[in-house]
Amino acid sequence: GGHKWIQRTITYGAYMRALLKKSGLEEHVVFLGKLNETEMAEEIRIAHVYVCPSAIENSPNSLGEAPLLATPCLSSFVGGVPDMVDDGETGLLYRFDDHVMLAFKIMKIFENYELAKHITKNGIKAIDEMLLKANITPLSITLKDNEYFVLGDNRYHSYDSRSWGVLEKDKIVGKVWVRLWPLNEITVFAAPNY
């Protein structure tokens, strides 16, 4: 007696493929697979529009990177995104659960070259102004072979090597998976063998 519960786990990719097939759209979507940073930058650069459709978000790096690649941006109105995108000026915003508005705004960018050009130009200008305002200046530090300079991800509030100096290798516990800054050196590192 009794009921048996079966838990089924599928990947998000499999879920999306099934949804596309059910909707009859599988011939219109291409999954690119895993891309390195150069391939990702090239795909964003040649895209007609960059869409950030998150339901939950803070301040996505990609929403700052796409304008630098001269790609118009469209994002859901969530988290810190409205601080990054001025709707109609530096990009377009939509309510994250409103797929009809998302489709409408994508079509708007495709149909209106002047709008796409306007938000792209203003997006580049806004990123440039933000970087200038942040007063990012080059920092030159000479490290010994066993030393590291550690940076947190919150430029103004991180307690890191800018506060307490270099860190010796034998004091480090953890793994490096991704380098996000500077933007032209974004790297996903292979899993280390210990």
Side-chain angles (χ1 to χ4, degrees):
H3 296 287
K4 289 186 179 180
W5 295 95
I6 299 172
Q7 179 180 356
R8 293 172 55 153
T9 305
I10 61 171
T11 66
Y12 187 69
Y15 166 74
M16 289 303 299
R17 285 179 179 83
L19 192 58
L20 289 168
K21 185 173 184 174
K22 181 179 176 183
S23 304
L25 297 172
E26 67 267 41
E27 298 298 319
H28 303 282
V29 176
V30 176
F31 288 92
L32 298 175
K34 187 176 179 180
L35 302 176
N36 65 36
E37 64 277 4
T38 303
E39 294 166 330
M40 178 67 76
E42 180 61 13
E43 290 299 326
I44 293 173
R45 188 190 68 75
I46 64 174
H48 294 287
V49 61
Y50 170 77
V51 179
C52 182
S54 302
I56 299 172
E57 197 57 81
N58 186 13
S59 53
N61 287 334
S62 56
L63 202 52
E65 295 160 355
L68 293 175
L69 296 166
T71 302
C73 295
L74 168 58
S75 182
S76 53
F77 189 98
V78 293
V81 169
D83 292 332
M84 299 176 71
V85 177
D86 182 3
D87 191 32
E89 291 301 316
T90 62
L92 297 179
L93 296 172
Y94 74 99
R95 199 177 73 212
F96 83 92
D97 58 351
D98 190 346
H99 62 277
V100 173
M101 185 56 70
L102 169 60
F104 172 77
K105 293 218 175 177
I106 291 172
M107 288 173 30
K108 196 172 175 179
I109 290 173
F110 273 80
E111 293 171 351
N112 189 337
Y113 175 73
E114 289 304 315
L115 172 65
K117 194 165 77 171
H118 175 77
I119 63 177
T120 299
K121 179 179 146 196
N122 288 339
I124 292 169
K125 183 179 175 189
I127 297 296
D128 284 345
E129 288 172 0
M130 179 196 68
L131 292 173
L132 285 173
K133 191 165 117 182
N135 195 20
I136 298 171
T137 56
L139 179 63
S140 179
I141 295 174
T142 303
L143 299 172
K144 296 176 186 168
D145 287 341
N146 69 333
E147 292 180 332
Y148 291 84
F149 193 80
V150 181
L151 294 174
D153 64 352
N154 188 337
R155 182 176 312 277
Y156 302 110
H157 304 288
S158 290
Y159 184 62
D160 55 24
S161 287
R162 291 169 293 188
S163 301
W164 37 259
V166 299
L167 189 62
E168 293 179 7
K169 184 176 182 177
D170 63 350
K171 304 281 193 255
I172 298 174
V173 178
K175 297 178 184 177
V176 176
W177 294 99
V178 179
R179 175 178 51 215
L180 298 174
W181 193 262
L183 294 176
N184 65 339
E185 294 182 24
I186 293 174
T187 306
V188 176
F189 297 98
N193 292 324
Y194 293 106

